[in-house]
Amino acid sequence: MSRIYIPYGTTEGQTARIAEFIADVFQAHGHDATAADIKDAGDASLTGTTLSW
């Protein structure tokens, strides 16, 4: 299981719906996925996370 953070920015809400859909797909495959609006994320820490591309 992977932990996945999906940051997004939106003005009308469409990007939020897409990010939440993507998070739901990852969760359905057993991953811990979180979508978060970057303006509300505050000081979200990625310490201890491995970023891979």
Side-chain angles (χ1 to χ4, degrees):
M1 176 174 75
S2 297
R3 294 181 66 202
I4 302 163
Y5 182 67
I6 305 166
Y8 65 86
T10 187
T11 55
E12 296 179 12
Q14 186 64 24
T15 305
R17 287 187 285 276
I18 294 167
E20 290 295 338
F21 176 81
I22 293 168
D24 290 344
V25 171
F26 279 122
Q27 290 169 359
H29 285 88
H31 300 286
D32 178 13
T34 303
D37 191 333
I38 55 174
K39 71 178 178 185
D40 297 329
D43 291 335
S45 175
L46 298 177
T47 303
T49 2
T50 302
L51 302 178
S52 59
W53 307 100

